[in-house]
């Protein structure tokens, strides 16, 4: 039995409650990505490694042209240390390992290290 003008939900005592679907607002929160730490790859001077070999290393592993490689090599020669490049940890670590392995293979005592920038 239905009373005209009164909805069935009102008759059952559901005063003020909605029986329909509810809506929600979903907000997308963009996670903030942190920039990776950077590391300087450095070559150290020694009295035995030929300058030409250092230039070759800079060209081969750090994609320097002859002029830039020579400039870095001379900086290492005069100041004892020189920066080859700045990279993320994994790349810097790989470059240091490649240079050290290459130097040992050619029987040079060249030292290559990395430090956090």
């Amino acid at each position: 039995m239905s009373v005209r003008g009164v909805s069935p939900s009102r008759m059952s005592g559901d005063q003020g409650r909605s029986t329909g679907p509810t809506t929600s607002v979903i907000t997308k929160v963009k996670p903030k990505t942190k920039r990776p730490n950077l590391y300087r790859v450095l070559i150290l001077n020694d009295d035995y490694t030929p300058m030409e070999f250092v230039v070759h290393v800079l060209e081969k592993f750090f994609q320097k042209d002859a002029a830039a490689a020579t400039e870095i090599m001379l900086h290492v020669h005069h100041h004892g240390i020189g920066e080859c490049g700045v990279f993320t940890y994994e790349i810097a670590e790989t470059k240091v390992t490649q240079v050290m392995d290459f130097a040992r293979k050619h029987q040079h005592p060249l030292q290559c290290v990395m430090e956090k920038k």
Side-chain angles (χ1 to χ4, degrees):
M1 172 165 104
S2 154
V3 178
R4 189 182 272 177
V6 179
S7 68
S9 65
R10 289 255 171 151
M11 286 180 51
S12 64
D14 288 344
Q15 301 288 335
R17 278 194 270 170
S18 172
T19 58
T22 60
T23 58
S24 300
V25 176
I26 298 174
T27 57
K28 220 176 197 181
V29 178
K30 206 173 192 182
K32 291 189 178 190
T33 54
K34 183 181 158 198
R35 290 198 180 273
N37 292 323
L38 295 177
Y39 293 80
R40 298 170 65 205
V41 175
L42 307 167
I43 286 185
L44 308 178
N45 190 36
D46 64 71
D47 293 334
Y48 302 101
T49 305
M51 292 179 177
E52 297 80 17
F53 184 78
V54 175
V55 169
H56 180 66
V57 164
L58 291 165
E59 292 172 340
K60 180 178 178 73
F61 296 105
F62 299 96
Q63 290 70 48
K64 303 293 183 189
D65 60 29
T70 302
E71 186 179 331
I72 294 169
M73 176 276 297
L74 288 172
H75 188 273
V76 171
H77 182 70
H78 293 293
H79 298 96
I81 193 167
E83 181 178 284
C84 304
V86 178
F87 309 95
T88 59
Y89 180 83
E90 291 81 9
I91 294 172
E93 185 178 46
T94 300
K95 297 234 183 236
V96 167
T97 301
Q98 289 174 332
V99 169
M100 295 294 288
D101 289 348
F102 189 70
R104 297 302 156 265
K105 180 180 170 191
H106 290 86
Q107 300 178 346
H108 294 298
L110 183 67
Q111 292 294 305
C112 185
V113 296
M114 60 189 252
E115 73 174 19
K116 195 171 184 178
K117 187 166 182 181

